[in-house]
Amino acid sequence: MIPVNVLTLIAASAPRPSVLVLQTVPENQQVSPVLIPVYINLNEASLLSLILKDAQLTRPTSHQLFYNICSTCEVAIQYVHIYKLLGCIFYTKLVVKHNNKIQEFEARPSDAIALAVQQGAPLFIEEALVNSAGFSCALPHETMDAALQEFSTWLDKTSPEDFSD
């Protein structure tokens, strides 16, 4: 498994999907990060955006409710494991620990990542998925913003069907 971070969230209006962009965490500076686009619906993107911004709302979202329950019941999110890609849909497991017992739960990537971000838990993806769905990001640091803008433009012109078999 390869560690990843959330690089950015590109929210789009229907009918286009929003895109959560993950970035691999290289083991050393000689290895360039790889970007992995994860298509999500606008509703999930909106909620994830609030969590990524650490927005303080007057009422809890469903993710905040689950996070509060986990915290109160001493359930710790260990990590998120993105383990499969079918067509353009990623499959994810939320790995938690309670009473020294590890359990895995199938979850949508947006939900699992939102909960992991809230608890500061790491995110991992299978190497095969990085190789098949990732985009190399071998650019000098100064040009990263321009590259992200170009990537965002490319995503605007791309649909999930472009990746289906």
Side-chain angles (χ1 to χ4, degrees):
M1 294 191 300
I2 296 175
V4 292
N5 288 326
V6 174
L7 178 63
T8 191
L9 176 64
I10 302 168
S13 57
R16 296 211 177 273
S18 296
V19 182
L20 175 64
V21 182
L22 303 178
Q23 177 179 339
T24 59
V25 179
E27 293 179 16
N28 60 58
Q29 293 184 342
Q30 280 67 39
V31 178
S32 297
V34 175
L35 304 180
I36 302 108
V38 178
Y39 292 97
I40 60 176
N41 293 323
L42 182 58
N43 290 341
E44 287 79 13
S46 297
L47 283 171
L48 188 53
S49 176
L50 293 172
I51 290 167
L52 292 171
K53 292 177 183 175
D54 198 23
Q56 301 301 312
L57 304 173
T58 56
R59 305 282 298 159
T61 65
S62 55
H63 293 94
Q64 290 167 328
L65 173 63
F66 186 78
Y67 171 76
N68 292 340
I69 292 169
C70 285
S71 297
T72 301
C73 297
E74 298 179 3
V75 174
I77 297 172
Q78 298 296 291
Y79 60 91
V80 169
H81 179 201
I82 304 168
Y83 68 95
K84 182 169 64 172
L85 176 64
L86 290 178
C88 61
I89 300 172
F90 283 95
Y91 288 79
T92 307
K93 291 182 182 176
L94 183 67
V95 181
V96 302
K97 183 177 183 180
H98 178 57
N99 291 334
N100 291 322
K101 183 178 179 183
I102 301 291
Q103 293 187 320
E104 296 180 349
F105 297 94
E106 187 71 28
R108 294 183 301 189
S110 57
D111 293 335
I113 291 169
L115 292 168
V117 166
Q118 284 183 310
Q119 272 200 5
L123 311 172
F124 295 99
I125 188 168
E126 289 296 322
E127 184 174 2
L129 301 181
V130 172
N131 295 335
S132 66
F135 297 88
S136 180
C137 189
L139 300 170
H141 191 69
E142 308 83 52
T143 61
M144 186 60 73
D145 287 338
L148 281 174
Q149 182 58 46
E150 183 179 333
F151 183 65
S152 177
T153 302
W154 177 83
L155 286 172
D156 286 342
K157 297 175 184 175
T158 306
S159 69
E161 292 78 26
D162 294 336
F163 297 97
S164 62
D165 294 316

